[in-house]
Amino acid sequence: MSLQLLIVGGGIGGLAAALALGRGGHRVDVLEQAARFEEFGAGIQLGPNVVRRLRALGVEPALQDVAARPTRLSVRSVQGGDELARMVFDAARVRRYGAPYLCVHRADLHAVLLGALKAQGPSRLSLHTGARVSRIATRGGEAVCAAADDTRAWEADGLVGADGLWGATRARVIEHDAPPHRTGHTAWRALLAQAALPQALRSDRIQIWLGARVHVVAYPVRAGDFLNVVVLAEAAPPEGAGLDARGWDQEASLDTLRQATRQAGAGLRALLDAVPAWRAWTLHDRPPLQGPAQMAQARIALLGDAAHPMLPYLAQGAGMAIEDAATLAEVLAGVDAGQLPAAFAQYAAQRWARNARVQARARRNARIFHATGLLRWGRDWAMRLGGARVLDVPWLYAG
Ligand SMILES: Cc1cc2nc3c(=O)[nH]c(=O)nc-3n(C[C@H](O)[C@H](O)[C@H](O)COP(=O)(O)OP(=O)(O)OC[C@H]3O[C@@H](n4cnc5c(N)ncnc54)[C@H](O)[C@@H]3O)c2cc1C
């Protein structure tokens, strides 16, 4: 049984869905507003739960070529730099979760997915760029789903909204939906060539420094050749500087970054000072999903950030989009056009609670990572005592 499907959005979630659905024998049109299929930004971490799904999509060998395989996760304090806890990524851990933990530049992951998609051939896939979908409709007693931009229109049996935090599809699934809210948190990201760094700053591990209302993450990407550094702070440049952080006056943004990291001890300070240029992102959020109806409605399903954006404090936003894609392909196997609404409902029923749990955990991590006072004291004590047990998330990585 082969369906005709539209996917709005060609980010990591949209491409993973196209790949999974194409492998399932369905015919897919991917509609991407940008002029080219490409990803910007910096690194992303992929837990074993995500790497297993990517393996099932047949892209693990290509991913291993471009990813870095960190040796361990090491958590330190921003001020003193002393290690609070560590989790070693050893063979036993790979056996337990069935896959390694990887770090990859998002452009590399996007390119791996795109390459695998193109290899499927044109009979199952059409990629449309410059296609900013602004109108979505269901017609003919819901038998046809249509999307249109200013000049073109497409029809299919069903539509998957993978159009991210600000996408157009969500409004077709959730009535009276509020817009994403500003969290007041900002992420500054940078990429450093390891070869250009002093030996002491080069790293083959994921490092996290926890401070008051701020934390810093660094990990290798691009087969270990680059170090991805991210500062995440409960701080934002002054109001009126614009909603999109990329449009900010860089000096205003950098002043805020300097303020947020002024507590950094010598080791971390040296790393931050080695960064030649930062890019800033304002972090927006939505409340965790409350039920399956927020992920699918009749012939329209939502996937990834379009359905469940999350703070990057559990490093699983793209991961959940990839998990969504895998489940979507599973529930659509052997389904005909008449059964599609029921299959989308089944997809939503299978995915919403896990996505909501990950969203909630990411929010909780924000409070723990940025703790001050007694909560901070309790966190540090628990980390020193519990070590890897506190850092591991078995329900997530084994799920
Ligand atoms: C600082 C930071 C660090 C992060 N770290 C991690 C990490 O370590 N691990 C992890 O798993 N996740 C991480 N994430 C989260 C991850 O980046 C997102 O969850 C993920 O990119 C979502 O993918 P998506 O495909 O759902 O949406 P997007 O990446 O937003 O893609 C949506 C696509 O839809 C297109 N689009 C939008 N509107 C339209 C329209 N109307 N018509 C056509 N096309 C449209 C867009 O151009 C875009 O290509 C991080 C996020 C941030 C901000």
Side-chain angles (χ1 to χ4, degrees):
M1 221 73 74
S2 170
L3 294 163
Q4 173 79 39
L5 296 159
L6 302 176
I7 297 180
V8 181
I12 288 168
L15 292 195
L19 185 58
L21 293 167
R23 285 169 68 91
H26 304 295
R27 173 93 185 81
V28 179
D29 284 81
V30 183
L31 315 175
E32 166 57 45
Q33 65 181 359
R36 292 163 55 100
F37 277 93
E38 59 189 354
E39 263 284 341
F40 300 100
I44 47 176
Q45 303 173 48
L46 301 172
N49 55 313
V50 188
V51 176
R52 287 200 315 274
R53 266 78 175 188
L54 291 168
R55 177 184 299 158
L57 290 179
V59 297
E60 194 185 12
L63 181 65
Q64 293 273 11
D65 285 346
V66 292
R69 195 164 164 169
T71 53
R72 67 177 188 237
L73 166 65
S74 170
V75 181
R76 300 175 182 278
S77 87
V78 160
Q79 293 90 346
D82 49 317
E83 190 172 73
L84 301 170
R86 70 166 60 169
M87 182 165 69
V88 178
F89 295 127
D90 55 9
R93 219 183 124 74
V94 174
R95 276 197 302 279
R96 187 176 325 137
Y97 293 126
Y101 199 107
L102 298 179
C103 297
V104 64
H105 192 288
R106 67 179 59 221
D108 293 340
L109 173 58
H110 195 263
V112 162
L113 294 170
L114 193 58
L117 260 178
K118 287 182 174 169
Q120 283 186 347
S123 61
R124 284 192 234 157
L125 171 79
S126 296
L127 297 169
H128 308 269
T129 51
R132 180 172 172 73
V133 171
S134 53
R135 295 185 302 282
I136 295 167
T138 46
R139 290 195 278 114
E142 296 207 331
V144 176
C145 198
D149 64 8
D150 288 341
T151 56
R152 293 167 286 180
W154 297 266
E155 286 187 352
D157 301 316
L159 181 146
V160 179
D163 43 354
L165 180 69
W166 302 103
T169 318
R170 188 177 165 100
R172 296 288 311 175
V173 173
I174 304 169
E175 276 182 41
H176 313 301
D177 190 34
H181 61 267
R182 285 184 86 156
T183 58
H185 295 213
T186 304
W188 286 268
R189 304 203 258 193
L191 213 54
L192 301 172
Q194 298 240 44
L197 290 174
Q199 194 62 42
L201 295 182
R202 296 180 196 176
S203 174
D204 61 0
R205 63 193 66 159
I206 302 173
Q207 302 177 87
I208 305 184
W209 292 264
L210 305 179
R213 299 189 180 82
V214 68
H215 79 283
V216 182
V217 187
Y219 53 84
V221 293
R222 302 220 137 140
D225 291 344
F226 285 81
L227 201 60
N228 181 69
V229 184
V230 192
V231 176
L232 296 123
E234 290 177 38
E239 282 287 329
L243 256 187
D244 181 356
R246 279 161 280 192
W248 273 342
D249 164 52
Q250 276 299 306
E251 270 317 301
S253 160
L254 292 182
D255 274 352
T256 310
L257 170 65
R258 275 189 285 269
Q259 278 294 317
T261 54
R262 67 185 183 285
Q263 48 187 304
L268 177 57
R269 171 59 48 208
L271 179 64
L272 298 176
D273 287 348
V275 172
W278 294 96
R279 293 188 70 197
W281 270 256
T282 350
L283 298 183
H284 289 79
D285 201 11
R286 288 185 185 280
L289 290 165
Q290 288 168 357
Q294 291 180 315
M295 283 194 69
Q297 158 69 24
R299 290 179 182 273
I300 303 176
L302 298 175
L303 175 151
D305 277 11
H308 43 73
M310 58 187 76
L311 289 172
Y313 297 163
L314 190 56
Q316 283 277 340
M320 289 302 108
I322 291 165
E323 285 197 6
D324 285 348
T327 302
L328 194 59
E330 275 163 31
V331 303
L332 292 187
V335 161
D336 66 25
Q339 298 163 326
L340 189 107
F344 272 176
Q346 190 190 340
Y347 154 75
Q350 278 181 228
R351 287 299 305 157
W352 81 269
R354 179 164 165 90
N355 284 325
R357 189 173 183 189
V358 174
Q359 284 177 294
R361 179 65 177 248
R363 286 178 161 207
R364 181 175 153 234
N365 276 3
R367 290 191 295 277
I368 295 172
F369 286 9
H370 295 177
T372 57
L374 264 186
L375 182 57
R376 175 192 161 182
W377 182 85
R379 175 201 70 200
D380 291 357
W381 182 80
M383 284 205 175
R384 285 186 205 281
L385 215 67
R389 271 187 296 114
V390 176
L391 301 180
D392 206 359
V393 196
W395 63 263
L396 176 60
Y397 299 138

